[in-house]
Amino acid sequence: MSTLIIGLSLGMLLFLLASGLTLIFGMLGVINFAHGALYMLGAYIAFDIGRHTGSFVAGLIGATVLVALAGALIERLALRPLYDRPHFYQLILTFGVILVISEVVKVVWGLGYQESTMPPALAGTVDMFGSTIPVYRLFVIGFGALVSGGLFLLIEKSTFGMLVRAASSDGEMVRLLGLPVASVRMAVFALGSGLAGLAGAIAAPLFPIELGMATNTIIDCFIVVILGGLGNIRGAVAASLLIGLVRAIGYSYMPSWVDILTFSLLIATLLTRPQGLFFRATRSA
Amino acid sequence: MIALEHASVKYGHALALEDISIEVGLHEIVAIVGRNGAGKSTTLKTLVGLLPLVAGRRVFGERDISRLSVEQIARQGVALVPDTRRIFPNLTVRENLRIGAVAHQPGYWTEARVLEVFPRLGERIDFGGDQLSGGEQQMLAIARALLGNPRILLLDEPTEGLAPLIVDQLVEVFAHVHRQGTGIVLVEQNLKVPMKLAHRQYVLDHGQVVWSGTSAELKDQRQLVENLITTGAAQ
Ligand SMILES: Nc1ncnc2c1ncn2[C@@H]1O[C@H](COP(=O)(O)OP(=O)(O)OP(=O)(O)O)[C@@H](O)[C@H]1O
Ligand SMILES: [Mg+2]
């Protein structure tokens, strides 16, 4: 049971991270390699705000908003001039952004790792189904579910979501209808970045906060985005939970096989269902 | 009035429009006709700001709009229905309609009104944009443009490839749109639909205006104009 909870919470954390990546790719066609760096930045910011204010919630909000702002800035200043160039240019740019963010983190927080404390309200454990479950894990699951629901409503039901989907298929036509596509793109990049920041803030109490913290997670995150189908939010939810469970179950029963398991899943998907495990006909979210 | 004044436009190094002057009043129906490659679509794209001018001016009302962006020009009330329709395939029919209204003030054309004009769209309202026939796509593209209550509607070969019955229906709709006070620029390859609707006509060839006049004048010179359109040769 606790394996299941750990798997689900891992999956939800992964989803928070992957959703932003898949959103940015699906809507802007940009593969943002700096997503992991934004996640790390979110963790540092949350940690620092938490340290100064003593409030976990302030850390969550602050990390989300500040990283979203950073994303907006990156889009406006660096990415926007490159949309019409080959994808290669955008890849190089997002790599460059990783270096910049890493340097900023080094300068502000130093090289050593930081440890964030659990918010006291979520620090305990509960007994469920005969096992002891950390409350924070349950919080991560509930919060992730909430965010995924909200994101789904935003993309599928709101006017903003409608513009985003329209712009992803034909930005020029959206402009011909009098709508500012450039701002929509910036908002999408900010939203995706904000989600990375939020994921970092949520992850902060679970893992040591350090420069390399994104490396492993971001690989899983790319796997999730591919399994879920590039740009497919619903697919990302399902794939995140799948990977989370595979990892948790794998770690409990055959730890040395975990990576082989996930990568096999990835390769099998790429070979047999390159549009994602959960791809259905023409409509995608 | 929307106008191009001595406008020239290039694709790369190739001149696509050369010193074109075209003017359309906000209560007029004006046709632009010409054979394949004459520069008709280029003219419409230039009017809406998709293509920059290398010479001349783009004017709307009294205002020089040569330097406005595509979305700024659209918000002035200039709507283009492109030749390929460009329905958003990943939006439903309802969303394709709604998005036409987002950037604009409400006016005569509401969702209820366009569905009255195109009942077919009402039957397909929850379909995906990629699940429509060519005729339905054309209706949707026109309806989407109307929901922005444009002051001027630019139509790029709106009847091309459609069944005669649907063409007749569209002609009715365009007349209705005009009666509500919207100017129309109608691009066609032949004179069939223009002769039913247009007050004035321009004939384009090789990126230049080779004939212009009222439809009454055109009637008198029909053979000459037909020759201009099919062979492009002046005289
Ligand atoms: N994107 C483009 N790049 C380069 N040349 C172009 C482009 N679009 C059009 N042209 C050229 O510009 C000229 C005018 O094209 P345009 O599309 O305006 O013609 P048209 O009158 O609309 O023709 P049709 O009736 O076939 O639609 C043609 O010679 C065409 O080859
Ligand atoms: Mg054309």
Side-chain angles (χ1 to χ4, degrees):
Chain A
M1 188 62 206
S2 70
T3 307
L4 185 70
I5 297 288
I6 289 177
L8 285 178
S9 67
L10 212 60
M12 274 308 181
L13 188 62
L14 215 48
F15 163 73
L16 284 179
L17 195 54
S19 61
L21 191 62
T22 205
L23 192 71
I24 289 173
F25 180 80
M27 304 306 159
L28 307 182
V30 173
I31 297 175
N32 181 19
F33 277 114
H35 205 69
L38 292 167
Y39 161 79
M40 171 183 74
L41 189 62
Y44 273 101
I45 293 174
F47 154 75
D48 222 347
I49 293 179
R51 191 174 55 175
H52 284 105
T53 65
S55 161
F56 174 69
V57 177
L60 277 192
I61 296 172
T64 309
V65 171
L66 290 176
V67 177
L69 280 178
L73 225 64
I74 293 168
E75 197 279 343
R76 180 67 190 85
L77 298 179
L79 209 51
R80 191 175 293 183
L82 299 184
Y83 283 128
D84 295 332
R85 306 263 189 94
H87 282 302
F88 174 72
Y89 284 84
Q90 300 156 17
L91 291 189
I92 298 283
L93 178 85
T94 61
F95 266 119
V97 171
I98 298 181
L99 300 179
V100 173
I101 293 178
S102 304
E103 282 308 309
V104 168
V105 166
K106 263 187 231 167
V107 170
V108 178
W109 289 283
L111 280 170
Y113 77 90
Q114 315 280 356
E115 215 159 344
S116 164
T117 48
M118 241 355 124
L122 301 172
T125 58
V126 285
D127 290 320
M128 275 172 77
F129 313 106
S131 19
T132 306
I133 315 270
V135 174
Y136 194 77
R137 295 276 178 185
L138 294 176
F139 162 76
V140 172
I141 296 174
F143 193 79
L146 217 63
V147 172
S148 78
L151 211 53
F152 178 77
L153 287 180
L154 180 72
I155 298 295
E156 291 292 316
K157 304 290 175 205
S158 76
T159 300
F160 171 75
M162 180 172 78
L163 297 191
V164 170
R165 281 179 288 132
S168 77
S169 73
D170 188 348
E172 192 176 270
M173 189 63 227
V174 176
R175 297 179 66 205
L176 282 167
L177 297 172
L179 296 158
V181 170
S183 318
V184 172
R185 291 210 170 111
M186 187 162 86
V188 168
F189 203 88
L191 176 64
S193 304
L195 285 165
L198 179 64
I202 297 270
L206 290 174
F207 309 107
I209 304 165
E210 53 178 338
L211 273 173
M213 71 179 282
T215 328
N216 291 320
T217 324
I218 202 69
I219 291 174
D220 273 357
C221 181
F222 273 102
I223 295 178
V224 161
V225 169
I226 292 166
L227 290 186
L230 291 162
N232 185 338
I233 299 274
R234 263 177 284 191
V237 176
S240 306
L241 295 180
L242 181 67
I243 292 290
L245 288 175
V246 166
R247 284 230 176 263
I249 293 169
Y251 280 129
S252 324
Y253 302 106
M254 38 183 177
S256 45
W257 285 81
V258 170
D259 284 333
I260 297 176
L261 225 60
T262 39
F263 282 114
S264 312
L265 201 59
L266 172 70
I267 291 167
T269 303
L270 281 176
L271 289 178
T272 59
R273 309 209 49 163
Q275 282 161 311
L277 281 179
F278 313 100
F279 183 77
R280 241 180 303 124
T282 47
R283 294 212 65 204
S284 66
Chain B
M1 152 217 77
I2 190 164
L4 295 179
E5 294 175 355
H6 301 290
S8 296
V9 171
K10 280 183 177 172
Y11 289 112
H13 292 295
L15 208 54
L17 297 183
E18 192 179 353
D19 194 24
I20 272 203
S21 293
I22 277 176
E23 185 184 321
V24 180
L26 294 182
H27 300 286
E28 263 190 309
I29 301 181
V30 170
I32 299 176
V33 290
R35 56 182 174 161
N36 286 118
K40 308 179 296 293
S41 299
T42 304
T43 303
L44 295 190
K45 286 180 189 163
T46 306
L47 281 169
V48 297
L50 282 175
L51 297 170
L53 302 170
V54 294
R57 297 204 308 158
R58 176 162 48 224
V59 177
F60 188 59
E62 295 299 299
R63 186 165 173 211
D64 185 332
I65 57 167
S66 304
R67 296 189 179 283
L68 293 194
S69 67
V70 172
E71 51 267 47
Q72 283 170 326
I73 293 175
R75 278 202 297 273
Q76 303 277 313
V78 182
L80 171 67
V81 178
D83 49 358
T84 52
R85 286 106 194 213
R86 297 174 79 161
I87 298 305
F88 300 109
N90 55 343
L91 265 57
T92 65
V93 169
R94 191 193 301 278
E95 289 174 324
N96 267 285
L97 290 173
R98 277 186 47 214
I99 198 171
V102 173
H104 301 276
Q105 300 295 321
Y108 175 83
W109 293 104
T110 58
E111 196 174 307
R113 279 237 165 77
V114 298
L115 292 180
E116 217 170 276
V117 170
F118 296 118
R120 187 99 188 127
L121 294 179
E123 297 163 21
R124 297 273 183 277
I125 197 82
D126 289 318
F127 278 47
D130 53 359
Q131 296 172 309
L132 301 179
S133 72
E136 289 163 350
Q137 285 182 37
Q138 187 60 269
M139 294 176 199
L140 182 53
I142 294 165
R144 178 178 64 184
L146 287 178
L147 277 165
N149 286 289
R151 297 167 70 193
I152 191 124
L153 182 63
L154 314 181
L155 302 159
D156 198 346
E157 303 197 31
T159 63
E160 205 221 317
L162 301 184
L165 217 63
I166 300 181
V167 173
D168 291 343
Q169 195 197 343
L170 288 184
V171 169
E172 288 290 311
V173 172
F174 299 152
H176 183 172
V177 171
H178 173 250
R179 279 197 303 278
Q180 292 307 320
T182 297
I184 294 179
V185 180
L186 176 67
V187 158
E188 287 285 347
Q189 281 197 28
N190 57 56
L191 293 170
K192 227 169 96 199
V193 178
M195 286 314 277
K196 289 182 192 163
L197 283 169
H199 307 124
R200 289 191 303 114
Q201 318 217 7
Y202 291 92
V203 179
L204 249 55
D205 197 52
H206 286 100
Q208 292 177 304
V209 175
V210 293
W211 189 92
S212 68
T214 64
S215 293
E217 287 166 349
L218 197 154
K219 244 181 222 150
D220 294 336
Q221 307 177 32
R222 177 113 190 195
Q223 200 49 53
L224 170 95
V225 174
E226 295 272 10
N227 285 345
L228 281 175
I229 294 169
T230 48
T231 66
Q235 288 105 43

